[in-house]
Amino acid sequence: MGGVKALTIDHLAMNDVMLENLRGEGRGLVCDLCSDREVEKRCQTCKANLCHFCCQAHRRQKKTTYHTMVDLKDLKGYSQIGKPILCPAHPAEELRLFCELCDRPVCRDCVVGEHREHPYDFTSNVIHKHGDSVRELLRGTQPHLEALEEALVEIKGASSSLRERVEAVAADIRAFSEGYIKAIEEHRDRLLKQLDGIRAQKENSLQLQKAQLEQLLADMQTGVEFTEHLLTSGSDLEILITKGVVVERLRKLNRVEYSAHPGVNNKICFSPQEKAGRCRGYEVYGAINTKEVDPTKCVLLGEDLHRAREKQPVSFTLLCKDAAGEAMGRGGDNIQVTVIPKDNKDSPVRTMVQDNKDGTYFVSYTPKEPGLYTVLVCIKEQHVKGSPFTVNVRRRHRSHPGVFHCCTFCSSGGQKTVRCACGGTMPGGYLGCGHGHKGHPGRPHWSCCGKFTEKSECAWAGGQNTPRSLLRTVAL
């Protein structure tokens, strides 16, 4: 409040600046009176710095004739120059008094003006009291210095420890990364070596098949050429003589079994998400697979394949196999599952396919309404074995709203007025159902529909609030 002008003047700092100017090189202090010429003398009585001209004028005045003048060069070794502090309200007056009420130094003009009737005293008389209070406050502040210095030392130590810890962790990260990189490179080389082995094996099989087919082709060509030459150039007798050998040779060639298609395919794929064990202590991913899923050999498993209930989850499992009927043992195949209501083919049911990463896929869906549904399971746009198939969705399982209980007549000790929760009655006005009595179940049953099995579906056709009729019973 008040800006820079309202700040308290630091006279110690001003004294230090004055001493620096005295001890420094070049232009020094300027005269306190004319503020123009360089200072040569200092009046120890007035505490004023004077140039040569003002110093002579100072000595000519009666009031200041006997003031002590000192050369400025003689003050350079002093630690403090006692320059008087003047009142900011009355610049001609020095601050020599202290107003106790306002708690600040004042001059003579102040105590007869603004500070009239305020308690005051000379600064030399009150300095002890106020100095002691400042010293007491200082003693309370000094422990904080030690605490702050210790805190800074701890922070410095913590900072140093933090840097050391960061460097240690960085070294661990580098070591881990370098080890991981080496493991990946080693796994890469192992995969490439495995791939090269697969290539060599398949090429050898193809070369063997090629050699067998070439030999068979040569045998066929020789037999055909000989037979054609015999038929076109041989006489009747020559043909009949050679007929037995030619026929046996041709029949033998015709009986040779061979495959017109390559016995080896190029089905080699890389599965980067498949776990490949550990290498150098690191878990690595990526495996080469030569198996290819065969939709005709895949199997659908589950109890809910052909039966379901409305608004209840239905699930089954797809087990994928290759052409040899062996389980794939890996995931990653593109499985398409579609569930279509027979009465509303434009609104297929939303399905979920979960890849178990082991060659099996968990399929689930929730039919909203009862009826017949068609389920299609395809791999690479080809139906798997058993697809499509039909699911009969029945109404939601109805739980029993009543209680599963025994005969209330017997359990109550034969009380006539005890009513059974099922609403059944006995002959003679008894309200409870009879246990072993004519016209009543005679064993524990559901009060709502009379079924004897505790874990069963309720057969009562009425609503929750529909009044039930008497229990339908049969004579035992």
Side-chain angles (χ1 to χ4, degrees):
M1 190 69 70
V4 176
K5 293 181 179 180
L7 293 174
T8 301
I9 297 174
D10 187 352
H11 294 281
L12 288 176
M14 295 179 67
N15 181 75
D16 293 340
V17 171
M18 187 180 297
L19 289 174
E20 286 294 326
N21 288 333
L22 285 175
R23 296 165 184 159
E25 299 295 333
R27 184 176 177 84
L29 299 172
V30 294
C31 179
D32 289 342
L33 296 181
C34 65
S35 301
D36 186 26
R37 301 178 185 86
E38 195 168 342
V39 174
E40 290 186 2
K41 301 279 186 178
R42 179 175 175 79
C43 177
Q44 293 291 73
T45 307
C46 299
K47 308 295 183 183
N49 300 320
L50 304 173
C51 64
H52 179 72
F53 178 79
C54 293
C55 181
Q56 291 179 344
H58 199 64
R59 285 176 173 172
R60 286 195 293 270
Q61 295 181 12
K62 292 183 178 181
K63 291 178 61 177
T64 59
T65 299
Y66 300 103
H67 287 189
T68 303
M69 307 295 291
V70 181
D71 287 339
L72 200 63
K73 62 182 179 180
D74 296 335
L75 297 174
K76 289 186 177 183
Y78 283 48
S79 62
Q80 186 172 359
I81 301 177
K83 186 175 181 180
I85 301 176
L86 303 179
C87 178
H90 309 96
E93 294 293 331
E94 186 177 350
L95 295 173
R96 296 178 178 273
L97 305 172
F98 187 81
C99 178
E100 295 284 357
L101 181 63
C102 299
D103 195 33
R104 63 187 180 90
V106 293
C107 67
R108 290 182 299 176
D109 291 348
C110 290
V111 298
V112 297
E114 180 183 356
H115 298 268
R116 186 185 296 114
E117 298 182 357
H118 288 191
Y120 67 91
D121 200 348
F122 287 100
T123 55
S124 58
N125 295 335
V126 300
I127 186 60
H128 300 291
K129 180 180 69 173
H130 292 279
D132 291 343
S133 64
V134 174
R135 291 186 188 92
E136 183 65 26
L137 188 60
L138 178 62
R139 282 193 292 271
T141 306
Q142 284 175 338
H144 294 293
L145 292 177
E146 298 177 359
L148 290 172
E149 289 173 353
E150 292 177 358
L152 289 174
V153 171
E154 290 184 5
I155 289 176
K156 184 178 179 181
S159 178
S160 176
S161 177
L162 175 63
R163 286 194 297 271
E164 292 176 359
R165 185 58 187 160
V166 168
E167 290 175 359
V169 173
D172 292 341
I173 292 174
R174 293 188 189 96
F176 172 81
S177 301
E178 291 171 0
Y180 210 165
I181 290 171
K182 290 180 180 179
I184 293 174
E185 289 177 346
E186 183 176 324
H187 182 54
R188 175 202 61 194
D189 296 340
R190 190 165 59 192
L191 287 174
L192 293 175
K193 185 177 180 180
Q194 179 186 353
L195 180 63
D196 189 62
I198 294 172
R199 176 196 59 77
Q201 180 183 2
K202 287 181 176 290
E203 284 185 351
N204 290 337
S205 298
L206 288 174
Q207 290 298 328
L208 178 60
Q209 185 181 10
K210 177 185 176 184
Q212 292 173 344
L213 292 177
E214 287 177 346
Q215 181 63 46
L216 182 59
L217 177 61
D219 293 343
M220 290 281 186
Q221 288 176 341
T222 303
V224 169
E225 289 174 358
F226 180 82
T227 304
E228 289 178 345
H229 178 67
L230 176 63
L231 294 174
T232 56
S233 303
S235 63
D236 295 342
L237 184 58
E238 291 173 339
I239 293 174
L240 292 175
I241 294 173
T242 319
K243 169 182 171 293
V245 177
V246 172
V247 170
E248 183 182 355
R249 179 61 174 168
L250 290 179
R251 286 177 177 174
K252 185 176 181 181
L253 289 174
N254 289 334
R255 287 196 300 267
V256 175
E257 294 183 358
Y258 64 92
S259 175
H261 303 285
V264 175
N265 57 39
N266 62 349
K267 302 302 181 182
I268 306 173
C269 64
F270 176 64
S271 302
Q273 302 299 329
E274 186 174 342
K275 290 184 178 181
R278 304 186 73 84
C279 182
R280 289 179 173 263
Y282 298 88
E283 189 171 4
V284 291
Y285 291 81
I288 297 176
N289 294 296
T290 57
K291 289 184 177 182
E292 184 183 16
V293 63
D294 185 351
T296 61
K297 298 296 177 66
C298 296
V299 180
L300 296 171
L301 306 172
E303 297 180 355
D304 297 339
L305 282 174
H306 301 286
R307 60 182 183 181
R309 292 188 182 272
E310 62 173 333
K311 299 179 182 178
Q312 291 185 351
V314 183
S315 62
F316 60 88
T317 301
L318 171 63
L319 173 60
C320 291
K321 297 184 178 182
D322 61 6
E326 297 181 358
M328 292 295 295
R330 62 168 179 83
D333 293 305
N334 185 18
I335 310 298
Q336 303 99 28
V337 180
T338 307
V339 181
I340 304 174
K342 192 172 183 180
D343 297 334
N344 190 4
K345 296 183 178 180
D346 295 332
S347 300
V349 179
R350 183 171 178 265
T351 59
M352 298 290 292
V353 179
Q354 177 182 330
D355 188 350
N356 297 325
K357 308 296 184 182
D358 59 357
T360 63
Y361 299 84
F362 182 78
V363 182
S364 61
Y365 63 95
T366 304
K368 296 181 180 179
E369 297 178 354
L372 294 177
Y373 287 73
T374 302
V375 180
L376 303 92
V377 182
C378 299
I379 300 178
K380 299 177 181 178
E381 298 182 356
Q382 183 178 349
H383 285 281
V384 301
K385 184 179 180 180
S387 174
F389 59 92
T390 302
V391 179
N392 182 18
V393 177
R394 296 185 295 172
R395 293 193 178 276
R396 191 173 183 178
H397 181 81
R398 291 181 297 176
S399 58
H400 294 275
V403 294
F404 189 73
H405 68 157
C406 185
C407 154
T408 54
F409 178 75
C410 292
S411 60
S412 66
Q415 295 183 23
K416 183 177 180 180
T417 57
V418 175
R419 179 179 292 277
C420 179
C422 67
T425 61
M426 292 175 56
Y430 288 87
L431 301 178
C433 64
H435 182 68
H437 297 277
K438 184 180 179 180
H440 297 276
R443 54 176 164 165
H445 60 280
W446 282 102
S447 62
C448 48
C449 63
K451 280 196 173 182
F452 303 142
T453 306
E454 184 174 4
K455 294 183 178 179
S456 61
E457 183 178 1
C458 184
W460 177 49
Q464 186 72 20
N465 299 321
T466 304
R468 291 190 292 272
S469 61
L470 296 182
L471 178 65
R472 180 176 299 176
T473 59
V474 293
L476 298 180

